[in-house]
Each structure stands twice: as C-alpha cells, then as structure tokens.
Amino acid sequence: MRLEPGVTRELHWHATAAEWAFVLAGRVRTTLVDPFGGAEINDFDPGDVWYFPRGHPHSLSCLGDKPCHFILIFDNGYFSEFGTFSITDWLGHASKPLLAKNFGLPETTFDGFPKAEAYFVRGPIPPADAVPLQGALTSPPATHKYQLLAQEPHSVHKFGREWRVGANRFPISQTMTGVILDLHPGGLRELHWHPNAERMAVCHRRPV
C-alpha cells in the first residue's frame, strides 16, 4: 500500500485475519483500538513492523510531505475486502437522528457524512515530526510496534544476514513471524525446508 501526503486509510477492522506490515519508505502513523477499550498511537519509519490482531480497528496515515510505502500481509489465505469493515461504511448506513443521539451532537453535524465507504480520505499534511498525543487513552498491555531493522541481525553469515521477529520478541504477533533476509551479490540461501510452517516471500531491493 502507498499513501500520499495527507492521506489516511480510514479506521477499519478485519474480521477474518490479523495484519502484519513492514514499512519500506516514508513515515506512517497508526491508531489502534483494542476490544477492551485500550488505544495506541504509533509512528513508523522504514524497517519498522506492526501487527494488528484480527478484529482490532486501526487507521493508517502518511506523515510528512513524502509518500509512504509498506507491505501488508494477512495470516489467512482466504482474506478479502468482504471481511473488512470501514467506519464510514458502518456509520453511513445509520440515520442522522440515531448518530446525533449516540454522539450527543446536533443532527446537522452529520450533514456531509459519507453515505458509503470512503476507504481513503485526504486532509491537511501533518508534519513528519508531529508528536502523537495519547491523551487520556489507556494503552494496551502489549505494543503493536516493533523496530525490526533497528535491532542487531538475528544471524550473520558469509553471504548474507537475517533479521527475525516472532512472538518471542514481539509478543502481540501471535500468528506471524517475519524475516528480512539480505543476500550479497551471488549469495545463496542454501536448500532448506520448514516442517512446521508455510512461508510467503516478497522480493525487495533495499537501499544499502
């Protein structure tokens, strides 16, 4: 997914899968709410990872004046948009009197509210160094952010190196383990197999 400056992937949740992401470029701000009322706001830079368990509402925003780019991976091979629910699609089907009563606001507040899913929304461009305001929100017991490439490599070999993060280092990530593998020119990850897990790979030429 790529987001242009000032663009937000609106608050949404996935009913069928957890979401794991690796940031390639730019800065991303995520806002997450868990089923117990906890909320967390985090900023991500290239090399950072997030994990959102199934059913946890979250939004994704581009910070600064440059686009952001990240890879999204879901832990269910049958994931689709039919199992994803957006806040505008949900509230857009509620009547204005109901929304006014629910939020304690005048009905006119919702005059321009979308009647269908917005998916992406655009607003003022926030500065890249904007400080997230947690305010009175209660943080979840486990963070949803891990700075993968800021860590020492998990292992270093003659022709490459590997970073790895799973639930042992990133406790919230109960269904996904992520690996970043750097191969030197001409390097080969020797023939191997995984007897207890499936694997999906994305090739990316990362700047040195």
Side-chain angles (χ1 to χ4, degrees), residues 1 3 7-12 14 19-34 38-46 48-53 56-64 68-72 126-128 130-135 137-140 142-147 170 172:
M1 181 176 286
L3 298 177
V7 171
T8 292
R9 170 68 175 102
E10 67 168 322
L11 188 72
H12 63 284
H14 308 293
E19 176 180 305
W20 187 96
F22 178 76
V23 179
L24 297 170
R27 300 205 75 206
V28 188
R29 172 165 294 174
T30 70
T31 301
L32 174 136
V33 182
D34 71 18
E40 186 177 33
I41 301 171
N42 284 314
D43 292 347
F44 293 77
D45 293 298
D48 293 346
V49 168
W50 70 69
Y51 178 93
F52 300 145
H56 286 47
H58 55 278
S59 65
L60 318 169
S61 300
C62 179
L63 293 179
C68 61
H69 183 200
F70 43 90
I71 295 173
L72 295 174
V131 178
L133 301 176
Q134 186 73 11
L137 300 176
T138 301
S139 298
T143 184
H144 298 79
K145 175 181 177 179
Y146 187 84
Q147 295 179 288
F170 189 25
I172 195 71

Side-chain angles (χ1 to χ4, degrees), residues 38-106:
E40 186 177 33
I41 301 171
N42 284 314
D43 292 347
F44 293 77
D45 293 298
D48 293 346
V49 168
W50 70 69
Y51 178 93
F52 300 145
R54 178 172 59 90
H56 286 47
H58 55 278
S59 65
L60 318 169
S61 300
C62 179
L63 293 179
D65 58 1
K66 296 180 180 179
C68 61
H69 183 200
F70 43 90
I71 295 173
L72 295 174
I73 298 174
F74 299 92
D75 67 352
N76 182 346
Y78 291 97
F79 167 83
S80 79
E81 290 297 329
F82 292 107
T84 298
F85 301 91
S86 296
I87 192 70
T88 53
D89 196 30
W90 181 46
L91 296 182
H93 288 84
S95 67
K96 286 196 292 185
L98 176 60
L99 292 174
K101 185 174 183 179
N102 184 82
F103 291 105
L105 297 170

Side-chain angles (χ1 to χ4, degrees), residues 162-177:
E162 175 189 297
W163 286 264
R164 184 186 305 174
V165 58
N168 59 330
R169 296 185 179 186
F170 189 25
I172 195 71
S173 184
Q174 289 293 311
T175 65
M176 296 285 290
T177 293

Side-chain angles (χ1 to χ4, degrees), residues 102-113:
N102 184 82
F103 291 105
L105 297 170
E107 289 187 28
T108 54
T109 305
F110 305 96
D111 284 346
F113 204 83

Side-chain angles (χ1 to χ4, degrees), residues 115-170:
K115 297 300 182 184
E117 181 183 44
Y119 204 89
F120 292 121
V121 295
R122 184 184 294 274
I125 298 176
D129 58 355
V131 178
L133 301 176
Q134 186 73 11
L137 300 176
T138 301
S139 298
T143 184
H144 298 79
K145 175 181 177 179
Y146 187 84
Q147 295 179 288
L148 179 55
L149 293 189
Q151 312 301 315
E152 291 296 319
H154 174 76
S155 59
V156 178
H157 305 276
K158 184 177 180 180
F159 298 109
R161 52 187 179 165
E162 175 189 297
W163 286 264
R164 184 186 305 174
V165 58
N168 59 330
R169 296 185 179 186
F170 189 25

